Each structure stands twice: as structure tokens, then as C-alpha cells.
Amino acid sequence: MMKSIKDIPWECGKGWWPMIEKVASAIDSFNAAHLDSPAEVSQIKQKFGGLRIYHHNAPEDIRQLIDKAIEASWHTCEKCGSTTGVTTNLEGYRLTLCPDCRKEIKPRTTIIKRIELHIKK
């Protein structure tokens, strides 16, 4: 039996899950009608602050749905799903978050700051 997109790990925050669920439903519907040539998704993850959905054999309408989800991820908080004030940081591990969720992230110490702190000891 073929795996459903819902059976593979979604390596991203829950804020993006509604977008992925739309894609999953479309792919599952397509696959139910095309058992001989199903669309396959090998991985769903966050990379460089945006959603990635790696797929094979998806028809044009599903590819467009995937593209829309990827584009929407840049304007949707990965953690909570908010679309208000969402930004993607450009330093360190890139995250696309709203201001409230960004406040919950502890700031990273840069390598230069770590060297300075080590020298001061």
C-alpha cells in the first residue's frame, strides 16, 4: 500500500500545518483516482526559513497548490500560523515568525561574541 502524505514526518512548525493539510488532501484525492501513477511526496520541511515540499509526479494543479503553500509560508508564522508582522531573520538558523513568537526565541551568541567572552576570562 502506498504511503499517504499524512504518514511522512512534517519537519516544520504547526503554524504551517493547515497549508500542508490542503496539499495532502489534494494529493490523496489525486492518488485515489490515479493508482497507476500516483503523486509522491518524499519530504516536507522548513529550510532557510521557508516551507519545502519535495514531490514527484504531481500534476500541474497540485504543483501550483504546493507553490502557493511555499509562498504563503514566507508570510505565515511557522510556530503559531499568524500572518501579522511575520519576518524571516537573516542571521543564524532562519525562522519565519511573528513578533510574539520571535520574542520566545533566545538570542544566539555570535562566534565573535563567544570569542570575546572567552578572551575576557
Side-chain angles (χ1 to χ4, degrees), residues 18-46:
M19 293 182 278
I20 298 168
E21 288 168 349
K22 283 183 186 179
V23 171
S25 293
I27 289 175
D28 286 345
S29 294
F30 174 82
N31 287 348
H34 299 86
L35 297 174
D36 57 333
S37 59
E40 299 174 29
V41 173
S42 58
Q43 190 174 28
I44 300 170
K45 68 179 186 175
Q46 186 268 45

Side-chain angles (χ1 to χ4, degrees), residues 14 33 36 61 75 121:
K14 291 182 180 181
D36 57 333
D61 60 330
H75 310 284
K121 286 183 179 180

Side-chain angles (χ1 to χ4, degrees), residues 68-82:
K68 286 179 184 178
I70 290 168
E71 175 60 29
S73 74
W74 293 105
H75 310 284
T76 305
C77 178
E78 181 183 354
K79 189 170 180 185
C80 73
S82 172

